[in-house]
Amino acid sequence: MVGACMVGPRLRLRQAHALAASAAPAPKAVLPFEAIPRCPGSEWLRLLRVWRAGCEDLHLQMQQAFQELGPIFRYEVGGKHMVCVMLPEDVERLKQAESYQPHRMALEPWLAHRQLRGHKHGVFLLNGPAWRSDRQRLNPDVMSPQAVQKYTPMVDRVARDFSKALMARVLQNARGTLTVDIQPSIFYYTLEASNLVLFGERLGLLSQSPNPASLNFICALKAMLKSTMQLMFMPRSLSRWTSAPVWKQHFEAWDYIFQYANDCIQKIYQELALGRPQHYTGVVAELLLHADMTLDAIKASSIDLTAGSVDTTSYPLLMTLFELARNPEVQEALRQESLLAEARISENPQRAPAELPLLRAALKETLRLYPVGITVERQVSSDLVLQNYHIPAGTLVLVQLYSLGRNPAVFPRPELYDPQRWLKRGSSTRLPYLAFGFGARQCLGRRVAETESLLLLHHVLKHFQVDTLTQEDVKMVYRFVLMPSTIPLLTFRAINQSHPPGHAASPTLPHPGPISPSTLGPAS
């Protein structure tokens, strides 16, 4: 059947079915919070293990805990206490209890940098009225259908350039194929597209001579994410002594990111002061023209969007290409959909979401299996009941997306890569899709990420057959985002070499070399 192919034996299905059965109808008396099963072990020994070795298997630890303790449990690490859930019924209760100003847990390393440097917090770090005020001003220019219509042609140009560059590299080989670790090139694509959408500027990352400042910015992003993972569970009062070199790396990376964004915004500000543009030039320019947010507030949230838009989009794109390579029937179905819609999308890129329902479903299926952010969190503002346990106001509740996406009671035969499951009609309940969160606090960059993903895959699948020899599952590790521990090699084969997507002068994807944190220089 097209759309349902084996992903591999990812679950102990018997245990998973037992877990589903354990969520039985609740008894009449609500049980106290203290009766919630607790993940065994010392929270401080757990913190010591994280400090020494990281927590790359955190998603698997959570899945194991659900299998042993049931659909709800308490988890503690380094003074942070939380409740973990993974069933749709609990997600619905969290949605129903959502406050006017949903509260997120503070990300301490990021917060520490802003506080020490005196920077304003962006919407990712804000809570309360300040969050709501900034979010309401940002939504129209980032999330609204009108905004998506404006920046979609920008993303489409970058996606087409990626396809042209890839074709140029493929056609350099006599076999008309290219076998490559494509992840660095996808990373460059997502940053190129995001930078154009936000700041209205191309970085040249798809050319043979990308801007050195852009490469340093990539290095800073990677250093920031790596150090965030090393610091996020450690109390600041303790880690300032145990992890001083990591804190230094973290602050230096953020300093470069802020300087880079500040330079971009200052250029836009000067150009706008010299004359209003005659056409759309990106999100930040629109925010500056509206003049209802301060320059510092615009910069802070632009940095949040930039920092959160690269890895979180590039890894799902990579895993989608991998799954399509080992599920050729699904790949061919998606290709036929793209080819049929090519003329309409070429004329009007904004039509892509409506014209490519199966491709949108494939992206949902990838994020079901490989959620780049493994949790959705809420600090509940009022008392509620989950799995018949009392949850007091102020409790941090984490929805574990990796376990949810692989629960056979929610997703029948979860070991199948089956985009069609998202398109089936007649189901009594909608499948939970939480990759970007939910409600008013869902990911601000969601529409940008979805647009970038959809258009890149559309243009690649039109022109290339994607293959791999890797049929076994890829081990996933948690390093602040969920990513493959090793990158599977993919082979791109030109489908129609007589009509490549471009001309002889098309740009060629650079061969990304290693970038070291020591190469960071001043932003330009």
Side-chain angles (χ1 to χ4, degrees):
M1 182 182 85
V2 172
C5 304
M6 288 298 293
V7 171
R10 294 188 174 89
L11 290 172
R12 284 184 269 177
L13 292 177
R14 184 176 303 172
Q15 286 184 323
H17 280 297
L19 171 59
S22 68
K28 291 181 180 179
V30 174
L31 299 173
F33 178 82
E34 293 73 21
I36 299 174
R38 180 177 171 273
C39 199
S42 163
E43 62 180 291
W44 297 106
L45 286 177
R46 191 174 288 129
L47 177 64
L48 182 62
R49 287 195 296 270
V50 170
W51 180 64
R52 285 179 172 174
C55 52
E56 292 191 344
D57 64 343
L58 181 62
H59 55 298
L60 299 178
Q61 291 179 32
M62 296 295 102
Q63 191 176 33
Q64 181 67 27
F66 282 123
Q67 291 169 352
E68 294 175 355
L69 301 174
I72 185 170
F73 61 86
R74 288 182 290 152
Y75 185 79
E76 299 156 358
V77 57
K80 290 183 169 62
H81 296 195
M82 55 205 83
V83 170
C84 297
V85 297
M86 52 84 74
L87 291 179
E89 62 199 67
D90 295 322
V91 176
E92 288 305 312
R93 290 193 179 98
L94 286 171
K95 288 180 180 179
Q96 292 164 9
E98 187 91 294
S99 71
Y100 186 63
Q101 298 163 357
H103 196 282
R104 282 180 57 97
M105 177 180 67
L107 194 56
E108 285 295 332
W110 295 22
L111 208 58
H113 174 265
R114 294 351 181 238
Q115 291 171 345
L116 190 66
R117 296 291 193 253
H119 292 317
K120 180 172 170 56
H121 299 168
V123 286
F124 186 81
L125 295 175
L126 287 171
N127 283 301
W131 165 81
R132 186 165 186 84
S133 174
D134 280 5
R135 183 66 191 245
Q136 286 181 325
R137 288 169 169 79
L138 288 163
N139 279 345
D141 290 310
V142 185
M143 288 281 287
S144 72
Q146 294 81 5
V148 177
Q149 290 281 309
K150 290 177 181 177
Y151 58 67
T152 292
M154 289 178 155
V155 177
D156 187 60
R157 290 198 298 274
V158 181
R160 287 177 183 275
D161 285 350
F162 180 95
S163 183
K164 293 175 187 177
L166 183 58
M167 183 64 79
R169 286 182 65 184
V170 167
L171 295 183
Q172 287 174 357
N173 295 336
R175 297 179 301 278
T177 61
L178 176 71
T179 298
V180 66
D181 167 8
I182 199 66
Q183 194 275 332
S185 296
I186 295 175
F187 190 95
Y188 282 6
Y189 161 76
T190 56
L191 183 55
E192 183 86 9
S194 297
N195 199 83
L196 183 59
V197 167
L198 287 173
F199 303 116
E201 184 177 357
R202 292 294 295 260
L203 301 176
L205 291 172
L206 303 184
S207 71
Q208 287 286 14
S209 53
N211 183 339
S214 303
L215 298 180
N216 289 339
F217 180 69
I218 290 173
C219 180
L221 278 177
K222 291 183 175 181
M224 180 274 292
L225 291 172
K226 180 181 178 182
S227 54
T228 296
M229 188 67 229
Q230 294 170 298
L231 297 169
M232 63 185 292
F233 292 114
M234 185 79 69
R236 200 188 310 180
S237 57
L238 179 60
S239 64
R240 60 185 294 192
W241 304 109
T242 60
S243 306
V246 181
W247 273 112
K248 183 174 184 292
Q249 294 168 13
H250 189 72
F251 273 56
E252 287 176 350
W254 269 124
D255 288 345
Y256 189 90
I257 292 167
F258 265 79
Q259 183 60 50
Y260 182 90
N262 186 65
D263 289 348
C264 290
I265 293 173
Q266 288 297 335
K267 286 189 286 186
I268 298 170
Y269 186 84
Q270 177 168 319
E271 290 169 8
L272 292 179
L274 294 172
R276 190 181 184 93
Q278 299 300 309
H279 56 84
Y280 180 78
T281 60
V283 169
V284 170
E286 294 291 292
L287 293 170
L288 290 170
L289 287 168
H290 294 161
D292 56 0
M293 293 179 70
T294 67
L295 196 60
D296 284 343
I298 292 171
K299 180 168 68 174
S301 287
S302 298
I303 288 168
D304 285 356
L305 278 166
T306 304
S309 67
V310 183
D311 278 3
T312 53
T313 306
S314 62
Y315 286 116
L317 274 169
L318 172 68
M319 297 312 295
T320 301
L321 288 170
F322 170 66
E323 285 296 351
L324 297 182
R326 65 176 184 166
N327 292 292
E329 289 185 355
V330 180
Q331 183 181 158
E332 185 57 29
L334 293 175
R335 180 174 297 107
Q336 292 306 314
E337 180 183 68
S338 278
L339 289 172
L340 284 171
E342 180 177 10
R344 292 184 293 276
I345 294 174
S346 180
E347 179 183 346
N348 184 357
Q350 291 95 331
R351 292 181 60 91
E355 297 286 347
L356 303 171
L358 185 59
L359 185 52
R360 290 172 61 201
L363 288 165
K364 287 183 177 181
E365 185 72 345
T366 298
L367 287 167
R368 173 182 73 83
L369 288 166
Y370 312 106
V372 66
I374 63 172
T375 65
V376 174
E377 63 183 54
R378 285 295 187 272
Q379 188 169 348
V380 297
S381 59
S382 58
D383 290 12
L384 74 157
V385 175
L386 298 176
Q387 293 300 315
N388 206 52
Y389 293 102
H390 173 245
I391 308 295
T395 303
L396 182 64
V397 179
L398 303 184
V399 182
Q400 296 290 339
L401 301 185
Y402 186 88
S403 300
L404 169 61
R406 291 160 187 263
N407 184 350
V410 182
F411 296 96
R413 303 188 70 188
E415 73 281 4
L416 301 183
Y417 185 78
D418 180 14
Q420 289 284 356
R421 75 171 80 235
W422 298 93
L423 302 176
K424 291 174 182 173
R425 301 184 183 276
S427 174
S428 58
T429 56
R430 294 178 59 187
L431 294 176
Y433 180 57
L434 300 170
F436 295 96
F438 61 82
R441 253 212 117 133
Q442 65 180 292
C443 174
L444 179 62
R446 172 178 183 167
R447 301 305 180 199
V448 177
E450 290 174 335
T451 303
E452 291 175 358
S453 300
L454 194 70
L455 289 171
L456 179 79
L457 291 169
H458 167 63
H459 289 300
V460 167
L461 291 171
K462 285 187 306 178
H463 298 291
F464 302 97
Q465 172 73 35
V466 189
D467 298 304
T468 186
L469 291 178
T470 306
Q471 292 301 313
E472 62 273 13
D473 292 345
V474 173
K475 179 184 177 183
M476 303 299 289
V477 293
Y478 178 64
R479 296 172 184 162
F480 190 58
V481 296
L482 194 67
M483 62 179 69
S485 61
T486 56
I487 305 298
L489 283 179
L490 299 178
T491 297
F492 293 84
R493 186 184 311 275
I495 293 174
N496 184 355
Q497 296 183 24
S498 62
H499 298 287
H503 308 288
S506 296
T508 54
L509 289 175
H511 299 275
I515 305 172
S516 164
S518 63
T519 66
L520 283 176
S524 60

